[in-house]
Amino acid sequence: MPYVLLSTQIRTETGPTVVGDEASDPELMDYLGATKIHTFILFSCEYRVSDPPRIVLDRLDRRGFFLKQMTGVGQTVVWCLYKPPENEAQTVASSTDCSAGVIIFIINGI
């Protein structure tokens, strides 16, 4: 699975962080330490971790995922990450000048 969406609401520095849905890679969800939660309002499932987004982003970086886009939607922050196929990983890694672990969060007031 080359794409991962993360989201959190209001308090980005404390979590929880939503890391996947019912179609997410179970092995990746296990690596992140995610718990599958049934949301009865949406009649679907999502995976959550209690960690703040920074920790999750660091873990995904170690797995070869790159931050592609970030946006705010209301009081929710969403990150889209991409993991290139193995044969493209070298090209992407050498063509980027973003340093891993430096992320700027926009936090909405309560």
Side-chain angles (χ1 to χ4, degrees):
M1 172 170 73
Y3 288 94
V4 173
L5 287 177
L6 304 179
S7 68
T8 191
Q9 294 182 342
I10 304 172
R11 304 291 301 209
T12 59
E13 67 271 10
T14 60
T17 305
V18 177
V19 295
D21 62 13
E22 55 203 19
S24 296
D25 178 6
E27 189 273 325
L28 181 61
M29 296 298 107
D30 186 53
Y31 170 76
L32 295 173
T35 303
K36 192 174 190 178
I37 306 290
H38 296 276
T39 57
F40 296 106
I41 296 171
L42 300 175
F43 301 106
S44 64
C45 299
E46 64 185 25
Y47 283 94
R48 291 185 196 166
V49 295
S50 59
D51 299 317
R54 180 185 59 79
I55 301 297
V56 178
L57 290 165
D58 286 347
R59 286 182 187 149
L60 290 169
D61 177 67
R62 287 192 291 271
R63 276 288 181 102
F65 285 86
F66 295 90
L67 181 65
K68 294 297 279 184
Q69 189 70 40
M70 177 192 163
T71 190
V73 181
Q75 293 188 12
T76 301
V77 181
V78 180
W79 295 265
C80 177
L81 292 95
Y82 175 73
K83 182 177 182 180
E86 293 300 320
N87 58 350
E88 290 180 27
Q90 288 292 77
T91 306
V92 172
S94 63
S95 67
T96 182
D97 42 304
C98 297
S99 55
V102 179
I103 304 205
I104 299 171
F105 297 103
I106 299 173
I107 303 171
N108 293 327
I110 297 176

